[in-house]
């Protein structure tokens, strides 16, 4: 996918005289996310690939993120403290404090979320300059508080990237009771951040449809996950990897990802019950959480 800078450059080139060389505009893009490599997970991989691609296209990219701690609930070795900054693959990465937690209870999770909301707001005010676009990853939805403040301070257009609907998911998981004060406040924050956004992007058609149905005046678009065809090409398969997953004459069903409350892995137990009479199907789970 072309970066915004490439798109702008292409549109400007069409208006130039024949033979003229027009350089694409260099955009200043910020990405605000609680999750980023070296953590492993869907948003981490997706946002890191986006940041690298934008930087490779010539854009000036800054990622403001937390000290890596997910999903173990503890800061990874080599990190910690209040603020760190480094560059990787042409991307400027600013890391700020977070109080990590692996507990599923609401209060510890809220404490962890809001510790990063507060620290990223301060770090952004101190370290971010002018931006053209600020992309804010949700969940957690609370990070929109920092995103709206920093977009206003940096003069950026705010893009909310929604990979899971909050507070709807929290209600479904039983973390928040429908109609409670917390639910009403979170719903009000959701409405406010969508309406303050220049654009809302989402990972699935269902999320886009929900946003458009509930907020018809909000511009929303699909930004689905992609796959690295070089990393997942058939010629990458090896006999050793296949042997590690299970016997060669068995059918292997592989789940690779997080093992948490939101993944619905209890469905595998229902599937196992249906497959109990079959001894040539193995279900392999790979991940952490």
């Amino acid at each position: 996918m072309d970066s915004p800078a490439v798109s702008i450059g292409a549109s400007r080139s069409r208006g130039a005289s024949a033979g003229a060389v027009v350089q694409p505009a260099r955009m200043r893009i910020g990405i605000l996310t609680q999750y980023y490599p070296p953590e492993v997970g869907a948003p981490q991989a997706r946002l890191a690939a986006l940041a690298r691609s934008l930087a490779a296209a010539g854009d000036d990219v800054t990622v403001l993120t937390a000290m890596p701690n997910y999903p173990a609930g503890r800061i990874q070795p080599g990190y910690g403290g209040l603020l760190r900054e480094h560059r990787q693959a042409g991307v400027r990465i600013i890391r700020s404090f977070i109080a990590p937690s692996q507990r599923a209870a609401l209060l510890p999770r809220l404490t962890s979320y809001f510790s990063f909301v507060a620290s990223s707001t301060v770090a952004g005010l101190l370290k971010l300059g002018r931006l053209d676009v600020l992309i804010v990853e949700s969940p957690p939805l609370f990070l929109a508080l920092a995103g709206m403040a920093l977009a206003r301070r940096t003069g950026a257009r705010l893009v909310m990237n929604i990979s899971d609907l909050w507070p709807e998911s929290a209600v479904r998981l039983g973390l928040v009771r429908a109609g409670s004060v917390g639910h009403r406040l979170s719903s009000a924050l959701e409405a406010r951040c969508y309406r303050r956004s220049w654009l809302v992007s989402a990972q699935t058609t269902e999320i886009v449809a929900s946003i458009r149905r509930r907020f018809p005046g909000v511009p929303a678009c699909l930004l689905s996950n992609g796959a690295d065809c070089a990393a997942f090409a058939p010629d990458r398969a090896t006999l050793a990897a296949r042997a590690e997953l299970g016997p060669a004459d068995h059918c292997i069903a592989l789940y690779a990802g997080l093992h948490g409350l939101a993944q619905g892995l209890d469905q595998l137990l229902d599937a196992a019950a249906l497959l109990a009479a079959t001894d040539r199907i193995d279900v392999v789970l790979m991940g952490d959480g």
Side-chain angles (χ1 to χ4, degrees):
M1 181 180 68
D2 285 344
S3 75
V6 173
S7 300
I8 292 173
S11 65
R12 289 184 178 178
S13 296
R14 287 193 292 269
S17 60
V21 177
V22 179
Q23 294 297 326
R26 180 179 176 88
M27 294 189 69
R28 298 162 298 184
I29 300 172
I31 300 176
L32 175 60
T33 173
Q34 185 169 315
Y35 309 107
Y36 201 75
E39 296 174 343
V40 176
Q44 291 90 332
R46 172 168 34 83
L47 293 172
L50 175 63
R52 289 194 303 268
S53 297
L54 290 170
D59 294 318
D60 185 359
V61 184
T62 299
V63 174
L64 177 53
T65 188
M67 300 293 172
N69 68 97
Y70 187 81
R74 57 181 178 273
I75 302 296
Q76 293 188 17
Y79 296 90
L82 297 178
L83 192 66
R84 289 174 179 261
E85 182 176 341
H86 62 99
R87 296 192 70 89
Q88 188 174 43
V91 178
R92 179 191 182 202
I93 301 174
I94 303 170
R95 297 186 181 273
S96 65
F97 170 81
I98 188 171
S101 175
Q102 194 183 34
R103 297 175 59 187
L106 183 59
L107 185 57
R109 289 211 169 197
L110 287 178
T111 301
S112 181
Y113 292 147
F114 278 101
S115 69
F116 180 62
V117 170
S119 74
S120 63
T121 301
V122 174
L125 292 174
L126 293 174
K127 305 292 287 186
L128 292 178
R130 299 291 295 178
L131 296 174
D132 297 305
V133 177
L134 178 62
I135 303 169
V136 181
E137 174 74 7
S138 175
L141 176 64
F142 311 114
L143 197 54
L145 293 169
M148 288 186 287
L150 293 176
R152 185 166 55 250
R153 175 64 179 267
T154 60
R157 287 175 168 175
L158 177 64
V159 176
M160 288 296 304
N161 186 64
I162 311 300
S163 57
D164 201 1
L165 283 172
W166 277 30
E168 180 181 317
S169 296
V171 172
R172 290 183 177 180
L173 290 172
L175 298 175
V176 176
R177 181 171 54 84
S180 65
V181 174
H183 182 216
R184 294 198 301 271
L185 289 174
S186 298
S187 297
L189 174 60
E190 179 190 30
R192 180 174 175 80
C193 74
Y194 290 170
R195 289 170 178 150
R196 291 280 300 274
S197 297
W198 177 67
L199 177 68
V200 177
S201 59
Q203 263 62 69
T204 69
T205 55
E206 291 81 3
I207 294 176
V208 172
S210 174
I211 294 171
R212 287 176 175 170
R213 182 179 64 254
R214 293 180 296 128
F215 307 97
V218 170
C221 71
L222 177 67
L223 183 63
S224 58
N225 292 336
D228 186 340
C229 296
F232 294 97
D235 60 3
R236 297 294 299 274
T238 65
L239 293 176
R242 181 61 180 81
E244 187 173 353
L245 295 176
D249 60 342
H250 283 203
C251 174
I252 303 297
L254 174 66
Y255 169 81
L258 292 176
H259 294 54
L261 292 175
Q263 277 65 54
L265 298 181
D266 54 305
Q267 296 179 65
L268 293 180
L269 300 178
D270 298 332
L274 296 174
L275 298 171
T278 304
D279 61 359
R280 290 186 177 272
I281 297 179
D282 294 341
V283 179
V284 179
L285 288 86
M286 180 183 301
D288 196 2

